[in-house]
Amino acid sequence: EIVLTQSPGTLSLSPGERATLSCRASQNFGSSSLAWYQQKPGQTPRLLIYGASSRATGIPDRFSGSGSGTDFTLTISRLEPEDFAVYYCQQYVTSPLTFGGGTKVEI
Amino acid sequence: QVQLVESGGGVVQPGRSLRLSCAASGFTFSSYAMHWVRQAPGKGLEWVSLISSDGGNKYSADSVKGRFTISRDSSKNTLYLQMNSLRADDTAVYYCARERVPVVSPLGYWGQGTLVTVSS
């Protein structure tokens, strides 16, 4: 099983600041099967990034993904008030598909 | 537009069974693999199970293997999760989700979820 470890657990920032979220995998699985999701309280998860760096439909360009192998990063260039949420990484290259534990981005 | 509507959740005693359904619309159901993902109260996301587009391949998390069974009925555009021998730690919101595109891909569409509470 590929274990995904996200850090930090909580990120306290202000609107307009840059957010950098990390996702580390327990084994190398390339870069084509890593996704990031955003979940706001009481809402369904929303796909942000797939293939480590491709934005899903309708996702603003302030969200960007990078990385390969075992280390991946989600960057939010300038936080907007609606970006305060929990973010999860996920690998979908092999079963069991696994999620990271999440990073909460809070004001 | 893609719609996924889960049903079948509720309160159930430990050791009992429950079947969840997910009604799909707005896309060609038989072309896409489908998933179940759950989220315990206040916790993160946990992938539960996957079924291929033709139903021929199924995969499950170790935590539910042997207890939960995923299935689909393309004539009804419906995904199912049969949950047996339920335990307290199965308490969660259960989401059905569709892959983004019909190849190996992440979960692009999610239902609103149905809450399963396992309690005596």
Side-chain angles (χ1 to χ4, degrees), chain A residues 60-82:
Chain A
D61 60 7
R62 64 180 181 274
F63 291 92
S64 64
S66 63
S68 65
T70 59
D71 290 301
F72 300 88
T73 300
L74 175 69
T75 301
I76 311 171
S77 59
R78 290 179 56 186
L79 283 164
E80 296 287 342
E82 62 267 28

Side-chain angles (χ1 to χ4, degrees), chain A residues 1 33 35 37 39 42-47 49-51 56-57 88 90 92-93 95-101, chain B residues 35 37 39 43-48 50 59-62 65 95 100 104-113:
Chain A
E1 173 177 328
S33 301
Y37 300 85
Q39 188 179 32
Q43 295 189 17
T44 295
R46 177 173 72 147
L47 177 66
I49 300 287
Y50 63 94
T57 303
Y88 297 94
Q90 182 215 16
Y92 49 95
V93 69
S95 176
L97 282 66
T98 47
F99 289 91
Chain B
H35 300 249
V37 176
Q39 186 168 35
K43 302 297 185 183
L45 301 171
E46 180 187 15
W47 175 79
V48 173
L50 152 68
Y59 306 89
S60 294
D62 286 346
K65 208 166 284 185
Y95 297 101
R100 188 184 71 87
V104 175
S105 76
L107 307 177
Y109 299 89
W110 298 65
Q112 288 303 303

